Amino acid sequence: MSSSGKSKYKHLQTESLMLNILNNTLKYEIIDEKLKNVSFTYVRLSGDNSFLDVYVDYWDRSKINNIVNNLNAAKGVFRTAIANKSNLYRAPQVVFHKDETIDNNLKIESLLSKINK
């Protein structure tokens, strides 16, 4: 494996660790019951490990923007957990985003069904 391959693998491992830490923090440290039904679908860590974009899904799509705002208000709890539970030199800034994958898939399905009619 080349050094670039090892670097990419390590980056993916770090992202996986971040997702695990975030899920455990949500499960065991967040008190707000509305946030207990949140699902972190995936994360993207910047190349320099300074920013962690976290993509969020929620069963009630009409409330997802409010949920993302609440998570962003509590992002310090998540950053502290990452700092305490990872071996990174500096914990990344955590930013929560609405995962639009499902919405995009529904739009594509709708367009395809219109084309097939």
Side-chain angles (χ1 to χ4, degrees):
M1 184 180 277
S2 69
S3 64
S4 174
K6 288 180 185 177
S7 175
K8 178 74 173 167
Y9 179 74
K10 183 173 171 133
H11 190 78
L12 291 173
Q13 278 186 317
T14 303
E15 286 181 340
S16 179
L17 173 65
M18 298 295 122
L19 186 58
N20 191 12
I21 291 170
L22 292 170
N23 281 318
N24 285 334
T25 302
L26 183 66
K27 185 174 182 179
Y28 298 112
E29 297 179 32
I30 299 297
I31 298 169
D32 188 345
E33 286 300 317
K34 289 179 284 190
L35 298 181
K36 294 291 182 181
N37 293 319
V38 167
S39 176
F40 298 136
T41 52
Y42 63 99
V43 298
R44 289 292 174 255
L45 185 62
S46 64
D48 62 355
N49 294 350
S50 61
F51 289 94
L52 181 69
D53 292 312
V54 182
Y55 294 88
V56 178
D57 197 12
Y58 189 67
W59 66 273
D60 186 350
R61 302 298 290 165
S62 66
K63 296 180 181 178
I64 187 75
N65 291 328
N66 188 36
I67 294 295
V68 169
N69 290 337
N70 289 345
L71 286 167
N72 277 314
K75 65 184 172 184
V77 173
F78 293 99
R79 187 174 188 205
T80 299
I82 290 170
N84 292 336
K85 297 172 185 169
S86 73
N87 60 355
L88 293 177
Y89 175 72
R90 184 173 178 181
Q93 292 288 331
V94 179
V95 181
F96 293 96
H97 306 279
K98 173 184 171 185
D99 183 357
E100 298 189 12
T101 306
I102 293 172
D103 295 335
N104 291 339
N105 286 341
L106 291 174
K107 286 178 190 174
I108 291 170
E109 292 275 335
S110 173
L111 291 171
L112 288 174
S113 68
K114 286 180 184 177
I115 290 172
N116 290 331
K117 287 184 180 179

